Amino acid sequence: PAVLFRKRKAAEAPVQIIGRACTALTAIDHERLGQAELATDGAPLLLTVKTTQPGERVARGDRALVVARSDDGQVYLVAPVAVQQATV
């Protein structure tokens, strides 16, 4: 018999976002929304983000930690990740 439809793959588990590191695609601060990329096993996720506290800033290309989701669920809150200098 002819196969009209392929079997679908089982639905993938949702990606855990809170508690993971992302990379800033734009400068991120508390007053304006920015964008960050979260790596996954497949295509990366593009997140709309802002920092958790006024005065915090994440430069484009820097890493940040996703710590929460806004009350309306539209924005993820991130905290800067401290970069440790290697001593020689």
Side-chain angles (χ1 to χ4, degrees):
V3 176
L4 298 178
F5 300 99
R6 291 186 218 176
K7 287 188 174 184
R8 292 181 144 202
K9 293 181 181 179
E12 295 181 19
V15 175
Q16 176 67 32
I17 296 174
I18 307 300
R20 296 197 42 204
C22 61
T23 302
L25 298 177
T26 63
I28 303 168
D29 61 38
H30 190 70
E31 289 73 33
R32 292 180 300 155
L33 298 178
Q35 291 186 326
E37 183 177 78
L38 181 77
T40 67
D41 289 336
L45 297 177
L46 183 63
L47 306 176
T48 301
V49 295
K50 69 179 186 175
T51 58
T52 57
Q53 302 293 320
E56 281 184 332
R57 203 166 151 71
V58 179
R60 180 179 180 204
D62 284 355
R63 306 278 288 163
L65 181 66
V66 181
V67 295
R69 195 168 187 176
S70 65
D71 292 335
D72 64 7
Q74 300 295 312
V75 177
Y76 287 95
L77 303 175
V78 298
V81 173
V83 178
Q84 295 187 6
Q85 297 287 333
T87 56
V88 179

